[in-house]
Amino acid sequence: MARSDRSGDIILSTRNVTKRYGQVEAVRELTLEIRDGEFFTIVGPSGSGKSTLIRMLGGLEAPTTGSVWLRDEDITHVPANRRPTCMVFQSLALFRHRSVGENIEFAQKMRGVPPGERRRHALEMMRIVRLPDSYYNRRIHQCSGGEQQRVALARALASDPTILFFDEPLSAIDYRLRKILEVEMKDLHRRTGKTFVYITHSLEEAMVMSDRISIMRDGNIVQTGTPRDIYSRPGSRFVAQFMGEVNVFEIREGRIASPEADVSAIGRHGYLVLRPEHLRRLDGQDAADVRFEAIVESEYMLGSRLQYHLRAGDASLVAEIPIPAATGVTPGITARWGFDLADATLTED
Ligand code: ADP
C-alpha cells in the first residue's frame, strides 16, 4: 500500500564494508544500495562472501571497516535484535518438538503478549504464507519440508520486520518443491510489500524472484541489475558463464579467431559473449554478421528445444534451436552457423 510512495528510496546500504577473518578478506570494500520494498538478491559461487555480507546487513557480524546504513542512520554497531530486520533461517532452526503455533508465537510470548492475541496474530501470519488454520496445533516434525519453510516465514513475519533476510532458504529442498517455493516467495513479497534481501548461489533461482540482483565474486560485487539486464547484458565473462551455457569469442586486433570474422567495428580487444539461442544454423543465402562452419559433435534434448555442441577449429560452441527449426541438424554433419553482433555482448574481461 504505502509501497508506491516509498519505492525507489534507499532503505539499506553499505559503504566500503570490509570483513577480515585473519588473513581472509571475506568481503572487500563493498558498497551496495537496496531500495525500499524491492526483492534484492545477492548471487555468487560458494566462498564469494554472500553469507558474510548478509550477516553484516542483519547485524550478526560487525564489519572490520566501513559502515552499514538504514536509510540515513548509521547502524554499523547496532545489534541484530535492535534492528527492524529479521533473518529467516532454514527451517532447521524451528523448534521441532513444538507446534506450528508455538513456533510462530515464540517471540511474542517472550514479550508477554497474551495467548488469545498471540493466537489471532499467528493465524493471520499462517494465512499470509498459505498454511491452513488446522496446522496451528500440528508439530513441526509432522510438517513437510515445504510446510516447515512456510512456518519459518510466518515466524519471521510475526515480528513485523521492515526488512527480511534470507540465507539460502531453499538450498536443501528438492528441485520440484523449490520451483514452487520460488514462486511462493515472490508472491509473498508482493503481498507483504516488505524489503526482501535474499542470497543464493543459483542465478536461476535469483532470476525467477528478484527485482534486482547483485553478482558477487571474491568478496565484491561485479554487477548489479534487473534479471533482464544481467541476462542480456552481462558485464563480464564471469557473469555470463555463471548463468549457464554461453559462447565466448575472444577478440584480438579486431578479429574473432575461430570464425575468422572482422568485428573491428565493435571493438579491437575483449570478449564477445553470445547466448546459445542466438547462434543460428544458416541455410542457403541466410545472412548473419559473423559466419563460420562447424561440425555438430553432439545433441541434447532440452524439452522444447535441442542443444548442439559444435566444434569450429579449436573452439567449442553451444547452440540451442527450437525443435521445429532443428530438422536436418544431427551429430556428424558440418553446417554453416552464424550470429548477429546486435545479439552479442562485448565485455572487457
Ligand atoms: P559464501 O556465503 O558466498 O559461500 P562466505 O561469506 O561464507 O561465502 O565466506 C567467504 C570467505 O570467508 C570464505 O573464504 C570463507 O572460508 C571465509 N569465512 C567465512 N566465515 C568465516 C569465519 N567465521 N572464519 C574464518 N573464515 C571465514
Side-chain angles (χ1 to χ4, degrees), residues 187-223:
D187 282 352
L188 180 73
H189 172 251
R190 212 178 286 128
R191 287 199 300 276
T192 60
K194 293 181 184 293
T195 305
F196 280 25
V197 180
Y198 193 100
I199 70 174
T200 173
H201 61 274
S202 165
L203 191 53
E204 193 193 344
E205 187 175 313
M207 292 270 178
V208 175
M209 300 183 296
S210 317
D211 294 316
R212 288 194 308 145
I213 296 170
S214 273
I215 312 274
M216 272 190 92
R217 179 186 198 181
D218 298 336
N220 215 321
I221 287 171
V222 291
Q223 189 171 359

Side-chain angles (χ1 to χ4, degrees), residues 21 24 26 45-52 55:
Y21 297 108
V24 180
S46 175
S48 57
K50 305 180 296 295
S51 302
T52 305
R55 287 202 303 268

Side-chain angles (χ1 to χ4, degrees), residues 83-111:
R83 296 186 184 194
T85 62
C86 181
M87 188 78 74
V88 183
F89 292 101
Q90 289 190 3
S91 46
L92 303 174
L94 296 171
F95 304 114
R96 300 187 60 76
H97 53 287
R98 300 252 177 101
S99 70
V100 167
E102 285 172 312
N103 269 277
I104 298 173
E105 292 170 18
F106 181 72
Q108 289 191 304
K109 189 175 176 186
M110 294 289 110
R111 284 205 305 271

Side-chain angles (χ1 to χ4, degrees), residues 179-312:
K179 290 284 133 197
I180 296 168
L181 292 173
E182 283 170 15
V183 173
E184 285 193 3
M185 281 290 296
K186 189 171 174 150
D187 282 352
L188 180 73
H189 172 251
R190 212 178 286 128
R191 287 199 300 276
T192 60
K194 293 181 184 293
T195 305
F196 280 25
V197 180
Y198 193 100
I199 70 174
T200 173
H201 61 274
S202 165
L203 191 53
E204 193 193 344
E205 187 175 313
M207 292 270 178
V208 175
M209 300 183 296
S210 317
D211 294 316
R212 288 194 308 145
I213 296 170
S214 273
I215 312 274
M216 272 190 92
R217 179 186 198 181
D218 298 336
N220 215 321
I221 287 171
V222 291
Q223 189 171 359
T224 299
T226 63
R228 198 176 265 232
D229 288 340
I230 300 229
Y231 185 80
S232 54
R233 294 283 163 236
S236 60
R237 280 180 296 158
F238 173 80
V239 173
Q241 287 167 345
F242 197 57
M243 254 179 313
E245 299 279 3
V246 80
N247 296 295
V248 178
F249 299 93
E250 186 173 0
I251 303 175
R252 282 198 206 140
E253 310 279 327
R255 303 187 70 81
I256 303 177
S258 39
E260 289 301 329
D262 182 352
V263 294
S264 49
I266 64 157
R268 296 203 50 81
H269 294 281
Y271 298 90
L272 263 189
V273 174
L274 185 79
R275 299 262 157 233
E277 64 269 27
H278 289 132
L279 191 54
R280 306 195 299 274
R281 184 180 53 134
L282 303 178
D283 245 345
Q285 298 306 305
D286 284 355
D289 295 340
V290 176
R291 297 175 300 277
F292 55 91
E293 285 212 330
I295 299 170
V296 178
E297 292 197 315
S298 50
E299 172 189 280
Y300 301 92
M301 171 73 184
L302 300 183
S304 62
R305 57 205 200 285
L306 285 159
Q307 184 182 80
Y308 295 99
H309 289 198
L310 313 174
R311 175 156 298 281

Side-chain angles (χ1 to χ4, degrees), residues 86 101 103-108 111 113 118 121-126 128-129 151-161 164 194:
C86 181
N103 269 277
I104 298 173
E105 292 170 18
F106 181 72
Q108 289 191 304
R111 284 205 305 271
V113 177
R118 285 195 325 247
H121 188 64
L123 287 168
E124 195 184 319
M125 296 304 116
M126 286 169 63
I128 293 178
V129 300
V151 177
L153 277 168
R155 185 170 68 174
L157 288 167
S159 57
D160 196 26
L164 281 89
K194 293 181 184 293

